[in-house]
């Protein structure tokens, strides 16, 4: 690995980690946020999903930004924007302003992930690319999993507001490294931004999410709920219709003609929905029902961080050499077995008996899955579409997460009690198994060779 490749990998990891960390660090702070600002489970869901709605909807457009204006410039803009909106979140006096600030934070976050991952796709080839993606996956996955731990210390030591303020330190370091990177980028100035598509996607996701979250206290019979749901679905259908007909779509449907790309993204939906539900639900449950402190709740997932750090690069390299199908099929099954152990939990919530065994098994399954999944999808996308290809996959993952969190109330009820928690576990297991089955049936088991779409 050359010095420039090491710098590219470090920048990509740090820039993406900002967005991933903020997607999970919030979970341990949710009980304190609802205690201070009010709103219960609905506020907790919105604080998470306001960020994911704009992140998922605009990440596709951000992929085009990356190809049009250059990855370095878009990374710089995203990092500065994320720093400013993090400060707004930290000082928000009401739940409404916090939710709006989280939505703006998602806009900035959308600029970070596709551009940083596209840097890796352009800088590495062959097995080295699979290993680099594995390292990126390991570290960004670690940032996602370690978020509750970092957040727990900050919440217990001072205030939930510090979980946003701390972003500024990581952003400053990433900007300094980015200033040292020299790139000879080929920018495609012929690209036209698909603003209509971005609006349709944002309205659709927002409408569906609103209906799924607010139905818990307004009811499905409320006109605001079913009209919003219908409007959201119509907007999403209109989005697909528009993308199929516009000359330069932000979602190039032609990419889905590539088998591993389409099947891999389909598997991503179920796997990342389960992952987002788990980190949201388990962290809140062991605090509100098991009476764990925020630090204890964050520490509960620390073994996953260690396992991913040790194993994700290895599984990424193995997938690059032998093909991704086995790992993508077996990984979700192993992770599902881990969650099944949570069905033995009782209201006392003993960590070593009820939580630790499942966390260990889940960590192994997640390490087997994520790097091969990412590599299988992006390894078949041509360099010219690396930005939009990575944007699509990450947008699918974020959208799956936001819909999973939005639907928690349907599965668990308006409060996350003991019985609702177990129903949520069963739903997570089902989603993971579906992801494994999709991978086994649909993924082409070949070593990762790049194709032009």
């Amino acid at each position: 690995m050359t010095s420039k490749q090491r710098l590219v990998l470090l920048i990509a990891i740090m820039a993406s980690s900002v967005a991933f960390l903020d997607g999970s660090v919030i979970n341990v702070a949710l009980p304190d946020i609802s205690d201070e600002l009010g709103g219960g489970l609905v506020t907790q869901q919105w604080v998470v999903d306001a960020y994911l709605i704009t992140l998922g909807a605009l990440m596709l457009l951000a992929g085009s930004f990356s190809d049009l204006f250059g990855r370095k410039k878009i990374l710089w803009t995203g990092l500065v924007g994320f720093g400013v909106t993090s400060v707004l979140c930290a000082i928000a006096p009401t739940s409404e302003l916090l939710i709006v600030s989280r939505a703006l934070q998602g806009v900035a976050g959308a600029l970070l992930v596709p551009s940083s991952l596209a840097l890796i796709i352009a800088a590495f080839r062959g097995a080295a690319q699979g290993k680099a993606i594995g390292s990126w996956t390991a570290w960004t996955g670690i940032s996602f999993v370690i978020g509750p731990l970092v957040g727990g210390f900050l919440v217990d030591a001072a205030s939930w507001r510090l979980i946003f303020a701390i972003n500024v330190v990581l952003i400053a370091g990433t900007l300094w490294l980015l200033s040292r990177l020299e790139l000879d980028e080929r920018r495609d100035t012929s690209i036209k931004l698909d603003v209509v598509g971005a609006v349709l996607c944002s309205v659709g996701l927002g409408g569906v999410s609103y209906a799924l979250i607010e139905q818990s206290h307004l009811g499905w019979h409320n006109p605001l709920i079913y009209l919003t749901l219908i409007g959201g679905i119509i907007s999403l259908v209109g989005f697909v219709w528009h993308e199929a007909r516009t000359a330069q779509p932000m979602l190039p449907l032609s990419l889905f003609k590539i088998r591993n790309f389409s099947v891999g993204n389909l598997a991503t939906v179920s796997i990342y929905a389960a992952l987002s539900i788990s980190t949201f639900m388990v962290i809140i449950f062991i605090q509100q029902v098991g009476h764990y402190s925020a630090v204890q709740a964050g520490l509960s997932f620390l073994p996953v961080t260690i396992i991913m750090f040790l194993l994700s690069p290895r599984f990424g390299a193995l997938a690059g050499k032998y093909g991704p199908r086995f790992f993508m099929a077996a990984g979700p099954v192993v992770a599902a077995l881990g969650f099944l152990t949570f069905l033995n939990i009782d209201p006392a919530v003993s960590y070593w008996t009820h939580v630790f065994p499942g966390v260990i098994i889940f960590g192994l399954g997640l390490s087997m899955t994520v790097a091969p999944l990412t590599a299988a999808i992006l390894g078949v996308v041509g360099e010219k579409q690396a930005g939009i290809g990575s944007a699509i996959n990450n947008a699918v993952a974020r959208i799956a997460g936001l819909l999973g969190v939005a639907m928690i109330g349907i599965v668990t009820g308006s409060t996350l009690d003991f019985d609702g928690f177990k129903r949520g576990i069963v739903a997570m297991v089902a989603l993971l198994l579906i992801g494994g089955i999709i991978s086994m049936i649909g993924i082409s088991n070949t070593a990762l060779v790049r194709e032009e779409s």
Side-chain angles (χ1 to χ4, degrees):
M1 187 185 300
T2 67
S3 59
K4 184 174 182 178
Q5 285 177 322
R6 283 193 291 269
L7 181 59
V8 164
L9 184 58
L10 181 58
I11 291 170
I13 289 171
M14 291 182 66
S16 296
S17 293
V18 172
F20 283 114
L21 181 66
D22 232 66
S24 65
V25 70
I26 191 70
N27 289 326
V28 293
L30 292 174
D32 280 54
I33 289 174
S34 61
D35 286 345
E36 180 177 335
L37 303 181
L41 180 62
V42 171
T43 291
Q44 292 171 341
Q45 288 174 287
W46 271 120
V47 170
V48 174
D49 271 3
Y51 176 76
L52 293 177
I53 287 171
T54 52
L55 182 71
L58 299 180
M59 197 176 287
L60 297 173
L61 192 62
S64 298
F65 280 149
S66 175
D67 294 331
L68 177 60
F69 298 110
R71 292 159 189 132
K72 184 175 179 178
K73 181 177 290 186
I74 295 303
L75 272 178
W76 188 279
T77 304
L79 287 165
V80 172
F82 207 93
V84 172
T85 52
S86 293
V87 173
L88 293 177
C89 289
I91 63 175
T94 67
S95 60
E96 292 80 8
L97 288 176
L98 175 59
I99 290 167
V100 171
S101 299
R102 284 284 284 170
L104 294 174
Q105 195 179 40
V107 174
L111 300 177
L112 299 179
V113 179
S115 297
S116 59
L117 190 50
L119 284 178
I120 295 177
I121 300 299
F124 295 86
R125 296 290 186 274
Q129 184 186 98
K131 188 173 182 179
I133 291 175
S135 297
W136 178 87
T137 303
W139 282 103
T140 54
I142 285 169
S143 69
F144 185 84
V145 176
I146 207 173
L149 173 60
V150 174
F153 278 111
L154 295 175
V155 169
D156 283 350
S159 167
W160 60 265
R161 297 179 184 276
L162 280 184
I163 67 174
F164 299 111
I166 198 68
N167 290 336
V168 177
V169 177
L170 181 58
I171 289 170
T174 310
L175 286 171
W176 179 75
L177 288 174
L178 190 61
S179 67
R180 300 177 59 193
L181 179 64
E182 295 183 4
L183 291 178
D184 182 18
E185 295 190 281
R186 300 176 183 176
R187 303 179 186 178
D188 189 351
T189 56
S190 65
I191 292 176
K192 293 183 179 179
L193 298 177
D194 184 12
V195 178
V196 174
V199 171
L200 287 171
C201 187
S202 300
V203 171
L205 291 175
V208 172
S209 298
Y210 179 88
L212 292 175
I213 293 173
E214 297 293 336
Q215 59 79 30
S216 62
H217 70 277
L218 294 180
W220 288 111
H221 63 279
N222 190 298
L224 187 59
I225 296 299
Y226 63 74
L227 290 177
T228 304
L229 178 62
I230 293 171
I233 293 173
I234 291 174
S235 296
L236 291 175
V237 172
F239 167 70
V240 176
W241 181 87
H242 171 76
E243 297 304 288
R245 286 159 177 79
T246 189
Q248 293 188 345
M250 72 179 195
L251 176 62
L253 298 180
S254 60
L255 284 175
F256 289 91
K257 296 178 181 178
I258 304 173
R259 180 175 176 178
N260 275 14
F261 188 85
S262 58
V263 175
N265 276 291
L266 187 59
T268 296
V269 171
S270 56
I271 292 170
Y272 274 83
L275 177 60
S276 296
I277 291 172
S278 68
T279 53
F280 179 93
M281 195 174 68
V282 174
I283 293 295
I284 292 178
F285 178 80
I286 63 178
Q287 288 185 83
Q288 295 185 166
V289 177
H291 305 293
Y292 283 41
S293 68
V295 171
Q296 290 173 323
L299 282 170
S300 66
F301 273 84
L302 181 59
V304 178
T305 303
I306 297 172
I307 292 171
M308 289 195 68
F309 176 77
L310 294 174
L311 298 182
S312 282
R314 183 175 297 273
F315 282 120
L318 289 172
K321 185 176 182 180
Y322 298 109
R325 185 171 65 188
F326 170 78
F327 306 102
M328 290 174 59
V333 174
V334 173
L337 291 175
F339 278 125
L340 278 175
T341 66
F342 280 83
L343 293 177
N344 294 321
I345 205 167
D346 62 40
V349 192
S350 167
Y351 178 74
W352 296 109
T353 303
H354 299 139
V355 180
F356 181 73
V359 165
I360 292 293
I361 300 171
F362 168 67
L364 175 61
L366 191 63
S367 298
M368 293 175 65
T369 305
V370 178
L373 174 62
T374 304
I377 294 170
L378 298 185
V380 294
V381 176
E383 182 177 348
K384 291 182 180 179
Q385 292 182 299
I388 191 62
S390 61
I392 291 172
N393 182 234
N394 281 280
V396 168
R398 305 288 83 76
I399 290 168
L402 85 87
L403 293 178
V405 171
M407 293 178 67
I408 285 176
I410 298 176
V411 178
T412 66
S414 59
T415 57
L416 188 58
D417 58 16
F418 183 67
D419 292 333
F421 175 76
K422 288 196 171 184
R423 290 194 297 270
I425 292 295
V426 173
M428 283 188 288
V429 169
L431 286 170
L432 287 168
L433 292 178
I434 290 171
I437 292 170
I438 290 171
S439 300
M440 174 60 72
I441 295 174
I443 289 294
S444 175
N445 194 33
T446 57
L448 298 179
V449 179
R450 303 185 58 167
E451 301 173 9
E452 293 297 331
S453 59

